[in-house]
Amino acid sequence: SDSHIRWSLAMPAVTFEKVGRVARVLLNTPEKMNAMTSELVEDFGRVIGRIKAEASEIGAVVITGSGKAFSAGGDLAWLKVRSKDTPSRNSQIMHDFYNRFLLVRSLPVPVVAAINGPAVGAGLCLAMACDVRVASRTAKLGFPFVSLGLHPGMGATHMIASVAGYETAYRMLLTGDLVTGAEAKELRLVSQLAEDGPSAQAEAMLLAERMASQAPVAVRTLVQSLRRKQDEGLEAALWREADAQAQCYNT
């Protein structure tokens, strides 16, 4: 309907606001549980670009979801289209798709994910690509790629092991299990728990404010040092994942 079209034009799928020296990025399609639609991918890239352009006034970034979810992950309609494409095209398309979200790792300041509700599949991969994660104790987190007949993507095979160790990577990826925020903290997927979604968002903002209040040059150079180490092997993992996913689409 016209009103729906006008509404979607007026409301970008991703928004951001500056709160002091913290940029708060909101995945803003609550009616789709902030699923990774092409529209959300486009808007996410635009917002990251704007934050980079204004980076001199920003000391940290918080990424969270509007409504009850952080992000329900890949858009199933989009994934169905992929199953009709060729493996070589799919490999390139998937690699490009991952990189649009992994742009978050090119921000010059620390990035905190506030996992306010379900973070699933590619949605949780986005949170894993951030530097620190704060989760609601009751939020559901998981990587159900194998349950959908897919090899994991978006850096999952690299980032989970890097953040939480191989034991957790094997366990979470091979089962597709959904765990609560509280269990995710035991598994070292997140470093801080909050009672509910709004508290997770508030506590992530406080954490980001503490980072943003430190000496800017020290923080920025430190973020580069830590990410440089963590990103060793990431690009190879992304291509491996994209190729493996492309093979899975053909089965």
Side-chain angles (χ1 to χ4, degrees):
S1 74
D2 279 355
S3 65
H4 181 255
I5 291 166
R6 272 203 303 279
W7 181 84
S8 61
L9 287 174
M11 292 291 291
V14 182
T15 62
F16 95 101
E17 58 171 348
K18 276 192 296 207
V19 183
R21 284 181 45 76
V22 176
R24 186 171 184 268
V25 176
L26 193 64
L27 308 178
N28 195 32
T29 54
E31 72 287 353
K32 294 179 183 164
M33 291 182 74
N34 308 316
M36 306 276 188
T37 59
S38 51
E39 181 194 12
L40 191 129
V41 182
E42 291 295 324
D43 283 355
F44 187 78
R46 268 200 288 274
V47 163
I48 297 297
R50 282 186 58 195
I51 293 173
K52 281 185 179 171
E54 296 179 34
S56 60
E57 300 155 38
I58 292 168
V61 174
V62 169
I63 297 179
T64 193
S66 73
K68 295 266 187 275
F70 178 80
S71 172
D75 181 25
L76 291 176
W78 188 77
L79 293 174
K80 277 205 179 76
V81 175
R82 297 276 56 77
S83 65
K84 296 181 176 65
D85 215 330
T86 65
S88 59
R89 264 177 54 83
N90 270 337
S91 183
Q92 185 67 54
I93 286 165
M94 294 313 295
H95 183 268
D96 292 348
F97 172 78
Y98 307 153
N99 268 337
R100 303 292 279 286
F101 283 110
L102 294 173
L103 276 174
V104 71
R105 295 188 69 72
S106 67
L107 287 169
V109 294
V111 183
V112 179
I115 302 174
N116 55 303
V120 180
L124 186 48
C125 290
L126 173 59
M128 296 309 292
C130 296
D131 301 314
V132 182
R133 284 147 293 282
V134 178
S136 159
R137 149 183 310 286
T138 56
K140 290 284 194 286
L141 287 73
F143 304 94
F145 293 95
V146 287
S147 316
L148 299 168
L150 283 178
H151 185 286
M154 210 162 133
T157 57
H158 179 89
M159 295 306 298
I160 303 167
S162 160
V163 169
Y166 278 97
E167 179 87 12
T168 293
Y170 277 104
R171 189 247 149 133
M172 292 296 291
L173 290 173
L174 289 168
T175 60
D177 282 352
L178 281 180
V179 298
T180 63
E183 291 171 290
K185 185 166 189 299
E186 283 180 24
L187 291 164
R188 291 175 45 206
L189 290 165
V190 307
S191 64
Q192 194 173 324
L193 287 181
E195 279 311 305
D196 54 28
S199 316
Q201 292 168 330
E203 289 184 32
M205 287 299 289
L206 289 172
L207 181 62
E209 282 161 13
R210 294 209 304 277
M211 294 174 176
S213 70
Q214 308 302 321
V217 175
V219 167
R220 286 168 188 240
T221 50
L222 176 53
V223 162
Q224 282 183 339
S225 299
L226 289 167
R227 286 199 200 135
R228 184 169 294 160
K229 178 66 188 151
Q230 201 180 14
D231 285 348
E232 280 170 16
L234 175 59
E235 186 58 27
L238 288 173
W239 277 114
R240 165 95 194 102
E241 290 176 349
D243 286 343
Q245 279 200 334
Q247 286 169 31
C248 292
Y249 284 128
N250 264 27
T251 61

